[in-house]
Every structure is written in structure tokens, then in C-alpha cells.
Amino acid sequence: GQNIDQPTEMTATEGAIVQINCTYQTSGFNGLFWYQQHAGEAPTFLSYNVLDGLEEKGRFSSFLSRSKGYSYLLLKELQMKDSASYLCRSYNTDKLIFGTGTRLQVFP
Amino acid sequence: SAVISQKPSRDICQRGTSLTIQCQVDSQVTMMFWYRQQPGQSLTLIATANQGSEATYESGFVIDKFPISRPNLTFSTLTVSNMSPEDSSIYLCSVDQTGRPTDTQYFGPGTRLTVL
């Protein structure tokens, strides 16, 4: 089957940096998405990585290593509003598979 | 971008009844997806609905339980049939405007279903 693994929960302090890791099955892999989902709301798109390397979008960056089957989402200068679930999703041979999500809690 | 609305936003239903959830998009889209998100869990794809063809269901989901309609390029419905408490979940509609899964997908606000 296709498995995606990410930590269940993380905590961090306002202003800090946090890295949320995601590992996925490499067979048939085409790309990897990250989504943010606040409690009670629908997911919103953050990033999509196809090639190895780091893609930066303001305070959020996403990294991909295709050979290692590994990605991470990096959040800088954390704000209270960043408290949310972060979903990793892989695109494998026409299948889109969500990870279980990482619930991030930011404390003042 | 696409703006997606869902009706109802929430409902409480009795065991054994059925509920039809509507998804409306403000532009024509090729592919529409229905997801389920159970409490504290990630999203699980139920089926993919393309206009003019039968919906494609993922493993563990069947048409008799989750019939889907896709009458045109801006609208779809998902019916949760013969409900049980295990069907309590958030149901989300999602669209892909160009038919390529690699494109950004947009999600509707979700329908929160509670089955008593």
C-alpha cells in the first residue's frame, strides 16, 4: 500500500521555527503537497514540490528529497494563528494520498 | 481559483436515513472529489466524479452506500445512505479545474454530519 507518515502532534513557541517532517512511499511518486487546516475548516493549499530542494514562500518553506522519500514543511517566525493541522499529501501514479496530519500548537 | 459551496453545512440525522450533500462550484471544472474526514483524522478520498461518466470509488467505498451524481460541470451530490453512527464525519467536496491532480485543489467548507 501507500503509506505517508508524519508526527501526530507538535508544539512550539511564538516566534520560533518548527519543522514538520513527512515520509512517503517512493513507488510511482510524482510530487508532494502540503496543506494547512484550521479546526473546523477545510484544508488550504500551501505548497507543491516536484523537484528536490527547498521552495520558499514567505514564512513557509517546503523541502523535498525524492531519493529519500522525505519532505518537510518549515514554518518560521511562528504566530499564534499558525496553530493548525498540517497535512502532507503525495501524488503517486494518479493517486492522491493524505497523511494523517500533524497538529501544531503554538504557545505564547 | 474556484469558490466552492456545500449544503447543508451540518446536519444531525437518525440511523437508517439518508442525506444528500450538494456541492456547487462557481466555474466549470473537470474533476470533482468527495472526501471524508472523521474526527481527529486526515482526509480519505471516497470517490472521483467526472461529468458524463460513472464515479470512480476508492477501496472501501461502494456506490450503493455513497451514490454520487454529476449532472454538469459545476455541480455534484453525494448521498450517504442507510446511515449509521460510524458515518458521522465531515464530508468535503474538492475540485480540480484542469483535470490534472498536480494542480492546486480547492476544498469546499465541508458538511458536518452527526448520526444518532
Side-chain angles (χ1 to χ4, degrees):
Chain A
Q2 304 282 0
N3 294 319
I4 297 187
D5 294 312
Q6 47 180 137
T8 305
E9 290 191 9
M10 298 181 72
T11 59
T13 307
E14 199 173 13
I17 299 173
V18 72
Q19 177 176 312
I20 303 173
N21 297 326
C22 171
T23 58
Y24 58 87
Q25 293 287 332
T26 56
S27 63
F29 177 78
N30 290 298
L32 193 118
F33 296 85
W34 282 97
Y35 285 81
Q36 180 190 61
Q37 185 178 25
H38 285 99
E41 298 181 15
T44 55
F45 170 82
L46 291 177
S47 67
Y48 177 59
N49 291 64
V50 177
L51 302 176
D52 286 354
L54 187 69
E55 299 230 356
E56 299 188 63
K57 287 185 182 180
R59 293 189 300 114
F60 291 7
S61 304
S62 56
F63 171 83
L64 179 69
S65 169
R66 295 178 68 112
S67 61
K68 295 181 181 177
Y70 169 69
S71 173
Y72 66 73
L73 182 69
L74 193 70
L75 293 76
K76 303 176 189 175
E77 301 169 18
L78 280 173
Q79 302 174 8
M80 298 297 291
K81 67 179 182 180
D82 296 330
S83 293
S85 287
Y86 291 87
L87 307 175
C88 164
R89 183 169 76 166
S90 72
Y91 170 38
N92 292 68
T93 317
D94 296 330
K95 275 199 170 291
L96 293 160
I97 305 154
F98 273 102
T100 53
T102 299
R103 188 174 305 167
L104 173 66
Q105 195 150 8
V106 180
F107 291 99
Chain B
S1 65
V3 177
I4 307 168
S5 59
Q6 283 185 234
K7 285 197 292 189
S9 58
R10 58 177 63 224
D11 207 344
I12 300 172
C13 301
Q14 295 294 326
R15 180 196 299 261
T17 62
S18 297
L19 175 72
T20 296
I21 302 168
Q22 299 179 8
C23 177
Q24 180 75 52
V25 189
D26 69 342
S27 58
Q28 293 186 338
V29 295
T30 306
M31 297 173 74
M32 297 181 77
F33 306 87
W34 286 98
Y35 287 87
R36 181 172 73 183
Q37 186 172 30
Q38 295 183 304
Q41 298 187 21
S42 189
L43 288 84
T44 302
L45 181 64
I46 297 171
T48 302
N50 292 334
Q51 195 269 335
S53 63
E54 293 278 335
T56 303
Y57 288 81
E58 297 299 305
S59 176
F61 297 97
V62 295
I63 188 171
D64 290 346
K65 174 68 176 177
F66 297 100
I68 287 172
S69 78
R70 182 80 202 273
N72 57 53
L73 291 173
T74 63
F75 187 78
S76 178
T77 66
L78 170 77
T79 299
V80 186
S81 303
N82 188 24
M83 287 183 285
S84 67
E86 291 71 33
D87 295 321
S88 296
S89 186
I90 298 173
Y91 292 85
L92 295 119
C93 167
S94 172
V95 303
D96 167 4
Q97 288 182 292
T98 65
R100 296 194 303 268
T102 54
D103 285 340
T104 303
Q105 284 199 336
Y106 301 93
F107 286 86
T111 296
R112 187 180 295 269
L113 171 62
T114 302
V115 183
L116 303 176

